[in-house]
Amino acid sequence: MSFNLADYAELLEDLSPHSQDALRANWHEATKVFSPRGLDNYLKGAAAIRGLGKGDSLVETWIEEAPMVAKEVGEDVVGDLATASLELASRTSGTVIELLLATSATAANRLGDADLFLKFLQFINTLIAQAPRGVRPMLDKLEILFQHLTLGGLRRWALWGAHAHRTNYEEQIRYFSLESKESLAMLQKERKGTLLVDVQRRINMYLRALWARDFFMRPTSGDFETREGYRPYIEDYLLHVPDAFDDFTVEGLEPVSGLELYRATAAHCAAHVVETKLPISAEALNPMQMAVISVIEDARVETLSIRRFPGLKQLWSKLHTATPEMKGSMGDYLNRLARALLDDSYQDNDPWIIEARTLFALAQEKLDSNLTSWDIGVQLAHSFSQKRIPFNPRTDLLTAPYRDDNRYFWEFEEFDFNKAAGAGYESVKQVRKYVNVMEMANEIDVETAGDDAEEIWVLGTELFPYENIGDESNGKSFNELEGKEPISDPFHYSEWDYQIQLERPAWATVLEKRAKSGDLQIIEGITAQYKREIHRMKFLLDAMQPQGVQRIRRLEDGDEIDINAAIASFTDIRLGNQPDPRIMMRSVRKTRDFSILVLLDLSESTNEKVQDQEYSVRELTQQACVLLADAIHKVGDPFAIHGFCSDGRHDVEYYRFKDFDQHWDETPKAKLAGMTGQLSTRMGAAIRHAGHHLQLQRSAKKLLIVITDGEPADVDVRDPQYLRYDSKKAVEEVARLGVTTYCMSLDPRADNYVSRIFGQKNYMVVDHVQRLPEKLPLLYAGLTR
């Protein structure tokens, strides 16, 4: 849906001309950040702040800063920011409100979370009531303060100054301006070692390097009154970690930096997400049993992760400090158990710890299932009851700072794996609305319409300028003059993530685009170049053509008597010989019922030259397609030629050079002549979409021939195995639709992966690519017998 600033003329008429100019200058950027609902709140906020009567500068600060806040923490907080500004109007000056708006983007950037930003606004409201003269100097120094303090630390630092200098306004201003020694001393006291906002990008890259997938972290702020943060936890499939970590120091041991602690925490939480296939039922379990099972489950996911990444063992082990001397509470035993199951070098002679190590060692082959954790945990909880040590859920906690609270895997509510697959991705679902000519004409000049619009207007036919009516053959449509190439409605397909053994629903988007025509002489030149091969295939192709009704003779069981065979049998009887019992015959109707789709890899690598040849892989593929199409056309089977390339999972481009109901004439030949090589190869989505087109055919047999020069790859996937497994899954999915898939690979190294994708007998690696034009029709003959 287009969003025009003129539609709000009545609402914004009270703005000064200078403010209106500022709004127009920032409008384009605002439309990129806000949804239509967010734009509505943004403009209403501007009108409301103008109504305060505190000057144009305040209004223009809102106009400039609100989109930046929305970009950092989401548009939902913009309404709260406007409300906070209006509530402060009766308690402070317009200058302070303007400064709050001017620094709000800095606060949003440093906090990185909508909930924390709302708590920041609440903190400002509290501080104005206790130290009104300190708010302005503090906001002037806000960027420096957030470089050293968390939100909780900032609150404790500010409230100490507010209480200490409640009546001394001069000292209050010096404190909040960071000019007094006590202010700097308190700043140093509340300073945390490592802030999440400073290392979050590095931690995200670290997790992606390990598991080749994205995880999304959110900062949490602990109790404002203490320096203790919340324990890490996983909720809504997001990793919630403290907004800051001090260095982990224990006397006698080497200190662990805050960055290393973040790595350990993020890796442990990610291990839970990757290795948890099903939740654990908490039914009929008491709190002590759940606590022991939690420790075993932590050990299970860490052991599986260490098998793949051995370095994690050292990272996690140095954060466990339990010793055999700790035996005063069940929490001590749980910490000893956690260390014993992770660190082989840890010595502990307690019978309960020994029993746990033994049970865990015997279950090494069963760690893929968290039922192992349940079984071992229940047995150990029963054994521990003999120690007669009570369990207190509030105090008997694990002390390793990197471990989460394990709420993720307990079955308190049903898991939503669709939600898990899309966690952290915030996208606007576009709706296509088909409109008439008048509606389209009235909206065609909207300059602010972007690719992220919630509603896309579509006209069923091409629209020509008024002056070209009646002369459409010479005139150009709006699409050709100023628009983009028309594309289809998006087709969304799932993808298989082999790391978590789950499908990511609606993960890849296929967009069908119009194939551009090329020089028809290219195709005619190919036909002339391979005239000898075409003539050689004539007899093969004639043999493949339907022969109508044929009689199969010499059968013991048939529909009618074969007179010649019967007479020969009677002759043998008269001569005293053993007669041939095969005196029947059957009439069989020879028909072909095939649909064939040839799917071409059109990635950038097809532009490379064939080894020791002057032509490219794309030209070779073009030649093969022409000969194959001629062969199929000669036989009379319905066929289609499609191609694909990709630029990330949201843009898998799909081109239809020839469809099943099209004749093999100049139009598809010209499109095939115009094929180009570009972008990457997201093969799984393309195979699924090709299977969709084949499924629409009524043929008894459906064949998909994939011609590619390399393995699946894309710009947003680093793990080479990810798209291979997804392509294999796509082949299995279309096979359930009755589609046989065959691959012809031009990559000499393809044996390493193509057999796993398509099956041992369903591929051919062409080592001598110059023979491809004659091999492909012969391959087709063998596949369609």
Side-chain angles (χ1 to χ4, degrees):
M1 182 179 67
S2 61
F3 209 91
N4 198 330
L5 186 58
D7 296 338
Y8 283 80
E10 183 177 351
L11 177 64
L12 304 174
E13 61 183 5
D14 291 336
L15 297 184
S16 69
H18 191 269
S19 297
Q20 292 184 8
D21 290 341
L23 182 57
R24 281 190 287 270
N26 287 273
W27 180 249
H28 181 67
E29 185 65 27
T31 57
K32 292 182 179 180
V33 175
F34 290 109
S35 68
R37 181 177 61 85
L39 282 173
D40 186 70
N41 291 334
Y42 171 58
L43 295 177
K44 289 179 178 177
I49 290 175
R50 176 68 181 89
L52 294 177
K54 294 184 180 291
D56 291 342
S57 180
L58 177 60
V59 179
E60 290 160 17
T61 302
W62 166 268
I63 291 172
E64 294 171 2
E65 297 297 328
M68 299 174 64
V69 172
K71 188 175 182 179
E72 294 293 342
V73 292
E75 65 178 30
D76 290 341
V77 303
V78 172
D80 295 282
L81 179 59
T83 301
S85 302
L86 297 176
E87 290 177 348
L88 293 177
S90 61
R91 305 167 60 192
T92 188
S93 65
T95 304
V96 173
I97 300 175
E98 181 180 344
L99 193 55
L100 172 63
L101 294 177
T103 57
S104 58
T106 299
N109 175 266
R110 298 299 298 181
L111 294 172
D113 183 73
D115 291 337
L116 292 185
F117 183 77
L118 295 179
K119 290 180 180 178
F120 168 73
L121 295 179
Q122 295 171 5
F123 156 65
I124 295 294
N125 187 54
T126 302
L127 187 61
I128 281 183
Q130 299 189 22
R133 285 179 172 81
V135 175
R136 182 173 179 177
M138 187 198 73
L139 291 176
D140 282 330
K141 302 291 185 180
L142 191 64
E143 186 169 0
I144 297 175
L145 290 169
F146 268 133
Q147 288 176 358
H148 300 89
L149 301 176
T150 63
L151 178 58
L154 177 65
R155 177 183 170 115
R156 290 189 296 274
W157 172 85
L159 293 183
W160 190 95
H163 294 155
H165 307 294
R166 182 173 301 176
T167 57
N168 190 338
Y169 299 133
E170 195 171 311
E171 281 299 315
Q172 189 179 107
I173 293 174
R174 292 185 70 246
Y175 181 90
F176 284 96
S177 300
L178 294 178
E179 295 176 358
S180 65
K181 291 183 178 180
E182 57 187 8
S183 173
L184 297 176
M186 284 299 299
L187 178 65
Q188 186 64 31
K189 177 182 177 182
E190 296 298 339
R191 179 174 180 171
K192 290 284 237 178
T194 305
L195 302 182
L196 176 62
V197 69
D198 293 328
V199 299
Q200 185 168 358
R201 181 176 176 81
R202 297 166 66 181
I203 300 302
N204 282 333
M205 295 174 66
Y206 174 71
L207 294 180
R208 186 171 180 83
L210 289 178
W211 278 283
R213 55 168 290 187
D214 290 320
F215 296 89
F216 295 89
M217 292 189 293
R218 294 289 183 268
T220 64
S221 182
D223 185 356
F224 285 141
E225 306 306 325
T226 69
R227 289 172 54 85
E228 297 298 324
Y230 293 125
R231 290 183 66 188
Y233 64 95
I234 308 170
E235 190 172 72
D236 291 333
Y237 311 96
L238 302 176
L239 313 185
H240 296 262
V241 296
D243 52 3
F245 267 135
D246 282 323
D247 294 349
F248 182 74
T249 56
V250 177
E251 186 176 354
L253 297 177
E254 182 181 353
V256 180
S257 68
L259 176 60
E260 288 295 291
L261 188 50
Y262 268 122
R263 285 179 177 159
T265 301
H268 178 79
C269 293
H272 274 302
V273 176
V274 172
E275 302 298 348
T276 301
K277 307 300 188 299
L278 293 171
I280 299 178
S281 174
E283 186 176 355
L285 294 178
N286 59 45
M288 184 184 76
Q289 291 172 325
M290 293 176 64
V292 179
I293 292 173
S294 294
V295 176
I296 304 300
E297 178 65 9
D298 283 338
R300 184 187 75 86
V301 299
E302 288 185 352
T303 301
L304 292 175
S305 299
I306 290 170
R307 287 178 183 177
R308 299 163 65 183
F309 314 111
L312 291 176
K313 184 174 183 178
Q314 181 181 0
L315 177 65
W316 287 327
S317 295
K318 55 188 178 182
L319 295 169
H320 286 266
T321 58
T323 62
E325 290 73 27
M326 298 170 54
K327 55 181 68 174
S329 66
M330 184 173 182
D332 292 336
Y333 281 94
L334 292 178
N335 282 288
R336 290 166 60 183
L337 173 62
R339 182 175 183 181
L341 297 181
L342 174 65
D343 188 356
D344 297 333
S345 63
Y346 171 68
Q347 300 294 326
D348 198 316
N349 295 323
D350 186 89
W352 188 68
I353 302 296
I354 295 174
E355 179 187 3
R357 275 180 158 172
T358 303
L359 291 174
F360 196 74
L362 294 175
Q364 289 298 302
E365 301 300 323
K366 304 177 183 178
L367 294 184
D368 289 337
S369 171
N370 55 18
L371 290 177
T372 303
S373 302
W374 196 96
D375 293 336
I376 296 177
V378 170
Q379 185 171 343
L380 289 177
H382 177 72
S383 300
F384 189 84
S385 62
Q386 300 175 8
K387 292 182 177 292
R388 306 295 182 185
I389 297 177
F391 173 69
N392 187 335
R394 294 178 178 271
T395 58
D396 291 333
L397 303 174
L398 298 181
T399 58
Y402 73 92
R403 288 198 168 177
D404 64 301
D405 62 5
N406 288 330
R407 71 178 69 175
Y408 176 68
F409 57 76
W410 288 110
E411 193 180 30
F412 292 126
E413 60 182 355
E414 184 177 356
F415 270 29
D416 185 348
F417 288 115
N418 292 338
K419 186 177 180 182
Y425 291 98
E426 297 177 1
S427 58
V428 177
K429 184 178 181 180
Q430 290 185 338
V431 177
R432 293 195 164 213
K433 179 181 179 181
Y434 289 85
V435 297
N436 57 40
V437 175
M438 293 305 298
E439 289 175 305
M440 181 62 75
N442 290 333
E443 294 292 337
I444 199 168
D445 291 326
V446 178
E447 298 178 359
T448 57
D451 292 336
D452 56 349
E454 286 188 348
E455 187 172 284
I456 304 297
W457 285 21
V458 181
L459 189 63
T461 59
E462 288 276 23
L463 182 62
F464 291 83
Y466 179 77
E467 57 270 17
N468 291 337
I469 293 179
D471 189 23
E472 295 180 3
S473 59
N474 296 323
K476 292 185 176 180
S477 69
F478 279 109
N479 270 334
E480 295 172 306
L481 289 171
E482 58 187 76
K484 299 180 180 180
E485 278 293 317
I487 60 176
S488 68
D489 290 343
F491 295 85
H492 301 290
Y493 292 98
S494 60
E495 272 192 359
W496 177 256
D497 190 332
Y498 78 102
Q499 295 280 5
I500 61 176
Q501 291 293 298
L502 290 173
E503 280 191 344
R504 294 181 176 273
W507 193 250
T509 302
V510 176
L511 301 172
E512 290 189 354
K513 299 190 175 182
R514 178 183 296 172
K516 296 181 179 179
S517 298
D519 187 1
L520 192 57
Q521 294 297 324
I522 296 176
I523 306 301
E524 294 177 352
I526 294 174
T527 305
Q529 179 183 354
Y530 292 97
K531 185 176 181 181
R532 179 179 298 177
E533 282 79 4
I534 294 175
H535 179 73
R536 191 186 309 160
M537 290 187 298
K538 180 178 184 301
F539 298 102
L540 172 66
L541 298 176
D542 286 342
M544 294 173 58
Q545 289 181 341
Q547 301 297 320
V549 178
Q550 290 185 346
R551 287 180 175 177
I552 302 177
R553 299 179 181 274
R554 292 191 172 277
L555 299 175
E556 290 187 12
D557 183 20
D559 299 327
E560 53 185 317
I561 296 177
D562 183 350
I563 298 298
N564 293 333
I567 293 174
S569 295
F570 274 112
T571 302
D572 289 336
I573 292 173
R574 290 290 182 92
L575 294 175
N577 298 328
Q578 180 68 30
D580 189 344
R582 298 174 297 173
I583 61 171
M584 304 296 290
M585 66 179 182
R586 180 181 296 118
S587 296
V588 178
R589 184 178 182 83
K590 290 289 184 178
T591 59
R592 293 177 58 84
D593 193 11
F594 283 94
S595 289
I596 299 96
L597 193 153
V598 182
L599 184 62
L600 308 179
D601 173 5
L602 303 178
S603 60
E604 178 67 31
S605 59
T606 59
N607 294 322
E608 298 175 0
K609 296 292 184 181
V610 175
Q611 187 175 3
D612 302 327
Q613 301 294 333
E614 296 182 355
Y615 50 81
S616 66
V617 174
R618 177 183 55 79
E619 293 170 330
L620 181 67
T621 305
Q622 223 169 23
Q623 296 168 6
C625 274
V626 172
L627 295 186
L628 178 61
D630 282 339
I632 302 175
H633 181 65
K634 172 74 173 174
V635 175
D637 291 334
F639 71 101
I641 301 176
H642 297 172
F644 74 97
C645 58
S646 65
D647 186 20
R649 66 185 182 93
H650 293 299
D651 186 14
V652 181
E653 300 181 4
Y654 195 92
Y655 298 91
R656 292 158 60 178
F657 302 109
K658 180 192 177 302
D659 283 324
F660 290 101
D661 56 353
Q662 276 185 294
H663 293 290
W664 178 237
D665 53 19
E666 287 78 5
T667 300
K669 289 180 180 179
K671 290 181 179 180
L672 195 62
M675 62 182 276
T676 58
Q678 59 185 350
L679 305 177
S680 303
T681 316
R682 207 175 196 96
M683 189 180 293
I687 289 176
R688 291 181 177 91
H689 194 57
H692 161 73
H693 284 291
L694 279 168
Q695 190 181 15
L696 300 178
Q697 302 303 305
R698 296 184 178 181
S699 305
K701 299 180 181 179
K702 303 176 179 67
L703 175 64
L704 173 61
I705 301 177
V706 181
I707 304 178
T708 179
D709 70 318
E711 62 181 309
D714 211 342
V715 293
D716 58 349
V717 177
R718 294 185 181 180
D719 182 359
Q721 297 292 337
Y722 176 83
L723 289 179
R724 292 181 188 176
Y725 278 96
D726 176 61
S727 299
K728 177 183 179 182
K729 195 72 172 180
V731 170
E732 295 171 354
E733 289 175 12
V734 299
R736 291 195 290 268
L737 302 177
V739 177
T740 301
T741 308
Y742 193 92
C743 176
M744 177 170 282
S745 177
L746 311 183
D747 181 6
R749 302 176 300 277
D751 298 276
N752 297 328
Y753 59 85
V754 73
S755 62
R756 294 199 297 270
I757 296 176
F758 295 94
Q760 290 292 340
K761 298 182 179 180
N762 293 328
Y763 75 97
M764 173 190 293
V765 178
V766 183
D767 297 320
H768 303 287
V769 288
Q770 54 267 40
R771 296 190 59 192
L772 178 62
E774 60 179 281
K775 279 191 173 184
L776 196 53
L778 295 174
L779 168 67
Y780 166 69
L783 291 174
T784 57
R785 285 176 180 171

